[in-house]
Amino acid sequence: MAHPAQAGSLSRQQLKTLVLSALGGALEFYDFVVFVFFASTMGALFFPADMPAWLRQVQTFGIFAAGYLARPLGGVLMAHFGDLSGRKRMFLLSILLMALPTLLMGLLPTYAQVGIAAPLLLLVLRILQGAAIGGEAPGAWVFVSEHVSPRHRNLACGSLSLGLLAGILLGALVARALNAWLSDAELLAWGWRLPFLLGGVFGLLAMVLRRQLRETPVFAEMQAHRTLSAELPLKAVVRDHPGAVALAMLLTWLLTAAVVVTILMMPTFLQGMGVSRDAALAGNALAVLAAMAANLVAGALADRFGAGRVLALWSLLLGVAFWWFYREAQAGAYSPWHYAIAGSAVGLTAMIPAIALGGFPARVRFSGLSFSYNVAYAIAGGLTPVLLSAVMKGNPAAPMHYIAAMAALGVALGAFVEWRDRRTPAA
């Protein structure tokens, strides 16, 4: 199958597609992750006041995790129609399904007002958010990768990952601004609602941005030549591509560790070590900025030198930098700049989707990536916050050991991909 722009640099239209996709992804991902930046506040508002602090944190992260557990259903359904009726349609639908629950979160009553109904309503909305994000990330990676040639695939996925991280940064900046402008009493009384209401507006803006995008040339060509999947795409994925599914799931596990632990959970962990909320969020913002820049650098290097090699290098950086940063923070010598170095290791999120989606043919690519990514993220992303929060009560160094193990996995996966690509060079 022919592919646009097989050689040369990215065209102006391709650059526009990458920029608009990244901006839309940033606004949608803000909606999904802003919850975690207000985990302590949400725990205080949506659970009994006499509940032990550690249990309240576990329960709050449990609701956060529910979003991950709901991802496979939403992701598989959107991917099914994305493979059969178009990538762009699902790209727009995921925004709407994210914006509405986020807006409603900002209007929820608290535990003091309606009792147990409060956390239950919060849980339902979080599940709806999870279903939406299940189609967003894999759909976005497929969308941008099909607008460029395979030789630019890592950079394209890196630019999209940069956008998703920008959504996390936006959440961190909003959280920091509210903590600076509002007192604790004001934040608990009404200030916590603002980031969720703002998220609803962001969702509408993201829809406007994405309406300007075109269907991918790859899907348009399949549609024109009637080469779309003649059977249930997921059935073909499970039957014909089990190796690609297994590799994509392991890669997703690594991605989950890098993003969820290093970026999303660290502000809460740091506060548990005695770091002020403001200092933790400031370091988190620096870490996300470093990760955003690293995604572009790592993506460009992977397109030049091979994704396997660069994945192994960045995984090694993740293990070393996180260990160094975390041990210092435990010893009372927290440094936001060292946190930024650890954050730069999250640049490995550029190669992971590019490697994973390369294992599936175009007609089932969305379904293959979405199934593998969302099932693995539901398990790893859903259980990691809850288990680490519980284990840390007896072993405060648990995040450090977990990241070290994941870094070793990343090095092994990078070596495997390099070996595989040497045996079967990409067309």
Side-chain angles (χ1 to χ4, degrees):
M1 180 179 294
H3 198 291
Q6 286 290 346
S9 59
L10 296 172
S11 69
R12 179 176 295 182
Q13 180 60 40
Q14 288 171 332
L15 288 172
K16 177 183 177 182
T17 297
L18 295 184
V19 170
L20 290 180
S21 297
L23 281 173
L27 297 180
E28 184 169 1
F29 224 67
Y30 164 88
D31 285 1
F32 187 67
V33 304
V34 71
F35 180 98
V36 80
F37 291 110
F38 292 87
S40 299
T41 303
M42 300 297 279
L45 289 167
F46 284 85
F47 293 99
D50 57 354
M51 180 179 286
W54 71 270
L55 181 57
R56 192 161 55 234
Q57 179 173 304
V58 170
Q59 297 266 33
T60 305
F61 277 128
I63 290 180
F64 175 72
Y68 290 110
L69 297 176
R71 290 173 76 143
L73 178 60
V76 167
L77 285 174
M78 287 190 207
H80 172 81
F81 291 105
D83 277 330
L84 296 179
S85 63
R87 320 298 201 202
K88 182 181 173 180
R89 289 183 182 179
M90 295 304 104
F91 214 29
L92 292 173
L93 178 61
S94 68
I95 291 282
L96 181 63
L97 292 180
M98 176 63 71
L100 292 179
T102 306
L103 186 66
L104 291 173
M105 278 186 179
L107 302 173
L108 281 179
T110 64
Y111 188 91
Q113 295 170 316
V114 296
I116 192 65
L120 292 178
L121 289 171
L122 183 61
L123 176 62
V124 169
L125 294 178
R126 185 63 188 169
I127 288 172
L128 291 175
Q129 282 190 324
I133 208 71
E136 167 61 21
W141 282 318
V142 169
F143 190 87
V144 297
S145 72
E146 290 186 351
H147 272 284
V148 302
S149 73
R151 67 186 299 268
H152 294 305
R153 182 174 285 166
N154 290 283
L155 179 60
C157 288
S159 71
L160 197 284
S161 296
L162 180 154
L164 301 184
L165 286 165
I168 298 175
L169 176 63
L170 186 59
L173 293 177
V174 168
R176 193 176 182 206
L178 288 176
N179 276 278
W181 294 339
L182 302 177
S183 67
D184 289 344
E186 289 172 326
L187 194 63
L188 284 168
W190 54 269
W192 67 273
R193 299 182 184 276
L194 296 180
F196 297 101
L197 297 175
L198 191 60
V201 176
F202 285 162
L204 296 177
L205 178 58
M207 283 192 69
V208 172
L209 289 173
R210 287 190 175 172
R211 286 178 65 87
Q212 302 177 49
L213 297 173
R214 301 174 183 175
E215 182 57 85
T216 74
V218 172
F219 184 86
E221 186 171 342
M222 288 192 299
Q223 196 170 41
H225 290 85
R226 301 181 183 277
T227 56
L228 299 175
S229 180
E231 60 181 334
L232 187 69
L234 182 58
K235 179 182 178 181
V237 166
V238 175
R239 182 190 64 221
D240 300 333
H241 307 285
V245 169
L247 176 60
M249 285 184 167
L250 289 172
L251 288 166
T252 300
W253 190 11
L254 172 61
L255 180 149
T256 303
V259 174
V260 172
V261 179
T262 306
I263 300 297
L264 297 183
M265 297 185 70
M266 275 312 299
T268 302
F269 290 161
L270 288 170
Q271 290 173 69
M273 297 178 198
V275 177
S276 71
R277 183 179 179 87
D278 188 64
L281 290 175
N284 184 264
L286 287 174
V288 176
L289 281 171
M292 291 166 62
N295 261 277
L296 290 183
V297 174
L301 290 175
D303 284 330
R304 174 67 179 83
F305 298 106
R309 259 183 230 179
V310 180
L311 176 62
L313 176 65
W314 244 262
S315 297
L316 183 61
L317 172 63
L318 175 67
V320 173
F322 189 88
W323 188 282
W324 173 46
F325 153 70
Y326 195 89
R327 288 200 69 164
E328 284 194 332
Q330 273 193 307
Y334 164 71
S335 167
W337 299 105
H338 294 170
Y339 189 5
I341 295 173
S344 69
V346 181
L348 56 78
T349 52
M351 290 78 70
I352 285 176
I355 294 170
L357 64 85
F360 302 102
R363 67 182 181 277
V364 295
R365 182 173 291 150
F366 195 167
S367 292
L369 180 63
S370 184
F371 172 74
S372 308
Y373 173 83
N374 283 305
V375 170
Y377 219 138
I379 297 169
L383 295 179
T384 296
V386 178
L387 292 179
L388 280 183
S389 296
V391 171
M392 280 182 68
K393 191 170 182 234
N395 178 18
M400 186 171 65
H401 297 146
Y402 180 66
I403 289 295
M406 291 297 98
L409 173 65
V411 171
L413 290 174
F416 169 77
V417 170
E418 175 68 15
W419 171 79
R420 181 201 64 184
D421 291 348
R422 283 181 178 274
R423 291 185 64 216
T424 54

